[in-house]
Amino acid sequence: MKSYVRFRREPHRRYPASRNHLIKPRIGYLYRADGEILAFPYAIADENCRDGEMLRVPPQSFVDVYYAKILPRLKNDAEQQAAAVYFDPYTGRFIVVGSKQLYLDAKDKFGIAGTQLYLEQESPFSFDPMTYGTLCDPDTAEHLTFDDYFVPDVTGVTIADCMIQPEWDDRTAPWQCALEFCGKYFDRLMKDAGEDVPDTLTTLLASIISCGSHVLLSRLLLAFPGLLARFRPTLQEEEKFTEITIDGFGERIQNLFHYLLLAGDVNCLSVLFNLYERPLELREFLRHPMYYTVGHHHVRTGNHAAMQFLLTHGFNPDAVDTPNNRTPLLLCACRHRMPAMLESLLTAGGDPTRRDKRGLHSIDLAAAQNDCIAMQLLLAALPDDTAHDIVTALAPNLPLSDDNQAMLGILKKYL
């Protein structure tokens, strides 16, 4: 069993269950022997093909079909070929296990919606839909074991992978399955927290955050308040997070709260801050220097919405990683030419006179880059006398050219 949830999946076009009647694919089995093709298709509307499954599979196993319908019609077993045709309604793809050529020769007997995905050649007697189809039917969810949620289907996707997607709502099978899973195994999930490896519940919550499934996150935290303990802010680095990463963030993640801040989904952040039992504790931790890297990451990647949320909830606009002598956030915003980010930091009380390790402050950088917008914002945030002193020292060193006439016009206001 894979005791984790994959964090990233390639996006696919999805076909929710309510639109299945527009697709009308057919699933079933194909068999060829001695040149004759036998086809056993099942319409997707067949009552035995239960609505809401992640992967539509024929209602009978291949073995049953073979002995009841195929074997009596065989004259001999020369040149046997077989294929099982499944359909994934959420990606709009057929999954063909077995002979690709046989499926192509008999394609008119099955639907042509979506794109075919051909898997490896299999022997005729190995087609059991319960082997290849990962089922997720709300009516039968109670029969699923803990391990069933992490068994991949023919496409390598598990129930746990599917149930965290943000497209699902409370009427969709995979989304309901997440609530069933946590409800049924809550005690086990809370006890199985590993010290040095990611445990199932932590990685599941991280996956929900990574996918932006804030509605599901909210429902889980409301239904199981004990989950909030997983988000408790701490300065302690948890070894289990050594394998969890965020795109564009090259440093280690400390804990699940740190991961939530870095993921930067405003809706997920709002869920935690609204439901957490001690919101002042979160605000206090946001001002700790260790979270400088969170602000730096969002400024550098341009996630203005996340940065604005954090500033509103107590993040220090002058956060600085003193031990590593890193660039203050205002200078970082200037360097990457992000005026909206710069304005938010200044509005939250950022100090334009804070210097970096080279002794430069934000106004020096804005002048060097001839960034008039940044210069206007920075000077407007300073007291008039301070702005005058800085401009007086800066103006003589600014070369006179056609390129910086606008910058000189700004500086004249403060001379």
Side-chain angles (χ1 to χ4, degrees):
M1 184 197 79
K2 296 180 179 179
S3 60
Y4 61 89
V5 180
R6 285 192 293 276
F7 274 59
R8 299 175 184 85
R9 292 180 57 196
E10 291 298 320
H12 296 297
R13 184 179 180 185
R14 298 183 181 280
Y15 294 83
S18 61
R19 293 181 56 197
N20 282 343
H21 68 283
L22 301 177
I23 303 171
K24 298 180 180 178
R26 299 174 76 83
I27 56 181
Y29 304 106
L30 290 166
Y31 192 87
R32 174 157 52 195
D34 198 24
E36 181 183 3
I37 296 179
L38 304 178
F40 303 93
Y42 300 89
I44 204 72
D46 190 301
E47 61 181 4
N48 291 320
C49 300
R50 296 181 298 278
D51 194 24
E53 292 169 0
M54 294 182 192
L55 186 63
R56 300 303 182 93
V57 301
Q60 292 180 275
S61 72
F62 178 80
V63 174
D64 291 341
V65 172
Y66 178 82
Y67 283 108
K69 299 178 180 180
I70 298 177
L71 188 60
R73 297 175 59 178
L74 291 181
K75 297 177 182 178
N76 60 63
D77 57 0
E79 300 180 1
Q80 293 184 26
Q81 286 181 303
V85 183
Y86 309 99
F87 184 75
D88 181 352
Y90 300 112
T91 61
R93 295 188 303 177
F94 283 115
I95 292 99
V96 183
V97 182
S99 172
K100 175 179 178 180
Q101 188 57 52
L102 175 58
Y103 173 72
L104 293 175
D105 291 344
K107 195 171 182 179
D108 60 326
K109 301 180 186 298
F110 294 86
I112 57 174
T115 302
Q116 292 74 42
L117 176 66
Y118 301 103
L119 304 181
E120 69 277 1
Q121 179 76 34
E122 297 282 350
S123 65
F125 293 95
S126 65
F127 298 117
D128 183 344
M130 297 308 293
T131 300
Y132 293 101
T134 297
L135 305 182
C136 179
D137 184 346
D139 297 330
T140 60
E142 61 183 25
H143 302 301
L144 292 172
T145 68
F146 185 88
D147 289 354
D148 288 337
Y149 287 84
F150 301 96
V151 175
D153 63 15
V154 286
T155 63
V157 177
T158 69
I159 293 177
D161 288 322
C162 288
M163 67 189 185
I164 62 177
Q165 296 300 320
E167 292 88 348
W168 310 141
D169 55 31
D170 56 5
R171 298 181 300 277
T172 310
W175 200 83
Q176 286 291 314
C177 210
L179 295 175
E180 293 275 355
F181 174 68
C182 288
K184 187 175 180 180
Y185 298 108
F186 182 77
D187 291 340
R188 172 176 174 175
L189 291 168
M190 293 297 286
K191 291 178 181 177
D192 285 352
E195 297 250 342
D196 54 356
V197 294
D199 60 89
T200 301
L201 184 55
T202 297
T203 51
L204 179 62
L205 290 170
S207 296
I208 292 172
I209 294 167
S210 176
C211 291
S213 302
H214 64 280
V215 179
L216 176 55
L217 180 64
S218 177
R219 285 290 297 273
L220 288 174
L221 295 181
L222 286 170
F224 312 105
L227 293 179
L228 286 167
R230 294 298 176 99
F231 293 93
R232 186 157 292 135
T234 174
L235 305 184
Q236 180 181 358
E237 180 179 6
E238 299 180 22
E239 290 295 325
K240 70 174 72 174
F241 277 84
T242 56
E243 301 300 323
I244 297 179
T245 60
I246 295 278
D247 286 341
F249 185 73
E251 301 181 44
R252 289 181 59 172
I253 295 173
Q254 305 286 323
N255 45 56
L256 193 56
F257 179 66
H258 192 200
Y259 180 87
L260 176 68
L261 297 180
L262 284 166
D265 185 283
V266 174
N267 291 319
C268 289
L269 285 167
S270 298
V271 167
L272 179 66
F273 277 75
N274 289 335
L275 296 180
Y276 199 73
E277 67 272 20
R278 298 190 297 274
L280 291 179
E281 181 182 61
L282 300 184
R283 296 180 68 93
E284 179 182 347
F285 269 84
L286 279 181
R287 297 191 67 83
H288 193 277
M290 72 170 285
Y291 291 119
Y292 161 83
T293 53
V294 172
H296 183 268
H297 174 71
H298 292 320
V299 169
R300 185 172 53 82
T301 57
N303 191 345
H304 182 238
M307 194 69 245
Q308 183 65 49
F309 179 93
L310 295 178
L311 290 169
T312 303
H313 288 77
F315 191 86
N316 181 11
D318 285 326
V320 60
D321 185 10
T322 305
N324 295 303
N325 201 18
R326 301 195 183 182
T327 304
L329 295 183
L330 279 176
L331 272 85
C332 185
C334 285
R335 179 176 298 161
H336 293 282
R337 291 180 176 266
M338 294 182 177
M341 195 79 73
L342 181 65
E343 185 173 15
S344 294
L345 291 167
L346 290 169
T347 302
D351 181 6
T353 63
R354 182 179 288 274
R355 298 180 183 272
D356 64 8
K357 58 187 177 183
R358 298 172 298 173
L360 300 176
H361 50 55
S362 306
I363 296 177
D364 293 324
L365 187 58
Q369 296 182 148
N370 200 29
D371 189 339
C372 296
I373 296 176
M375 183 63 79
Q376 285 180 314
L377 292 172
L378 291 166
L379 290 174
L382 291 170
D384 288 342
D385 55 345
T386 304
H388 171 77
D389 292 342
I390 291 177
V391 170
T392 300
L394 183 66
N397 299 320
L398 192 67
L400 185 62
S401 68
D402 293 337
D403 294 335
N404 58 18
Q405 288 299 310
M407 179 68 72
L408 288 172
I410 296 171
L411 298 182
K412 286 179 182 179
K413 293 172 55 179
Y414 297 92
L415 289 175

